[in-house]
Amino acid sequence: KVSEELLGSPFRCTGIAYEKHKIVLVVNLSIIPETLPEILERAFIKLQAEMSKVLDYTISIGIGNCVTGAQNVGESLDHALEALKLKILTGYGSIHFWCKPDESSQGYFYPYTQEKHIFNNIQAGLGEKIKDSVNEFIRSVKDHGSIGYDNVVLIFNQLIGNTMKYLLDMHCPIGSVLGDDCNLYQELASLETLDEIQLWLNQLYEKILNYFQ
């Protein structure tokens, strides 16, 4: 209701509950002003402020591209959902506009050097240095100029796979180190921002270090 009121003044807007913890707003306009992104961003910032008064959690927003005809609204929704995934890089409460991926910069990126530092510091038993290495790993992902959501997911899946390989190479039973019911990939998939992943990785490597000690 609040969304419709904020956006319904300059445009025609309707909202629906899309799925758990998501709503979709369809904004209809006859003429696209050049300042549309600024208008929408101001409206959504105001929406976030209004909702923070009554909700205990933040609102992240993904905005799809403009399309012609109701039959193409699904395309805009798909783009909005893709844009929303970028909160993994910027954190909760962020607003993202969808833009066409730059195909020239889609090469796979992985911070191999930072990963090596993590395992070297585990081997040396240096707890604080491990945290520094994890922070460097996260920072290298954040600072990479053009990295997409899929690449980010692959990076951390690869790191978890290499961590389990490292434990096996060290003849450590993974169940004894992490617990028999532990599913690292499932836990990782439940995390939505780099800040959450950073905290989780620090806890993971602390467990591993404690086992070695």
Side-chain angles (χ1 to χ4, degrees), residues 145-165:
S146 54
I147 186 169
Y149 171 81
D150 291 335
N151 194 164
V152 173
V153 172
L154 285 171
I155 286 171
F156 291 103
N157 278 317
Q158 181 171 339
L159 177 61
I160 294 308
N162 290 346
T163 298
M164 290 194 287
K165 180 179 181 299

Side-chain angles (χ1 to χ4, degrees), residues 16-71:
I16 61 166
Y18 178 64
E19 56 186 32
K20 187 178 181 181
H21 301 313
K22 284 191 181 75
I23 64 168
V24 170
L25 303 174
V26 180
V27 182
N28 190 26
L29 55 162
S30 55
I31 298 175
I32 302 174
E34 291 184 4
T35 58
L36 179 61
E38 291 83 357
I39 293 171
L40 291 176
E41 187 168 19
R42 282 197 301 270
F44 284 126
I45 289 173
K46 188 173 180 181
L47 170 67
Q48 289 172 325
E50 290 291 320
M51 290 296 93
S52 67
K53 300 174 184 177
V54 293
L55 298 178
D56 293 331
Y57 48 84
T58 60
I59 295 176
S60 303
I61 296 164
I63 303 172
N65 58 321
C66 292
V67 294
T68 302
Q71 71 276 12

Side-chain angles (χ1 to χ4, degrees), residues 1 14 24 27 44-45 52 86 93 107 114 125 142 161 180 198 208:
K1 181 179 177 181
T14 189
V24 170
V27 182
F44 284 126
I45 289 173
S52 67
L86 293 176
Q114 287 75 16
K142 284 184 177 179
D180 291 329
Q198 181 174 345
I208 294 172

